[in-house]
Amino acid sequence: MSLGHDTEKTVPASKSAKVPDKDQQMGSALRSVYQKTVDEAIPDDLLDLLGKLD
């Protein structure tokens, strides 16, 4: 008895090579944006506000 698995579509080889490349580019872009955010200085006025919470 088949559950429809025999009708799975296959991805052509030319497209399957592009998917990992796009994933790699997306991952690299996200890491770059994250690192820039982490390295960004905290504004003095925000630090002052945080200091008032004590």
Side-chain angles (χ1 to χ4, degrees):
M1 175 177 234
S2 175
L3 297 175
H5 292 67
D6 56 340
T7 60
E8 290 180 8
K9 295 180 181 178
T10 58
V11 177
S14 62
K15 288 194 177 194
S16 65
K18 292 181 182 178
V19 172
D21 186 46
K22 284 186 178 183
D23 288 347
Q24 190 175 25
Q25 289 175 354
M26 178 65 76
S28 179
L30 288 171
R31 282 188 294 277
S32 175
V33 169
Y34 175 79
Q35 191 59 50
K36 287 178 184 177
T37 302
V38 168
D39 293 340
E40 191 173 299
I42 300 172
D44 290 336
D45 55 342
L46 181 57
L47 289 174
D48 291 339
L49 285 173
L50 289 173
K52 292 178 182 180
L53 291 175
D54 289 336

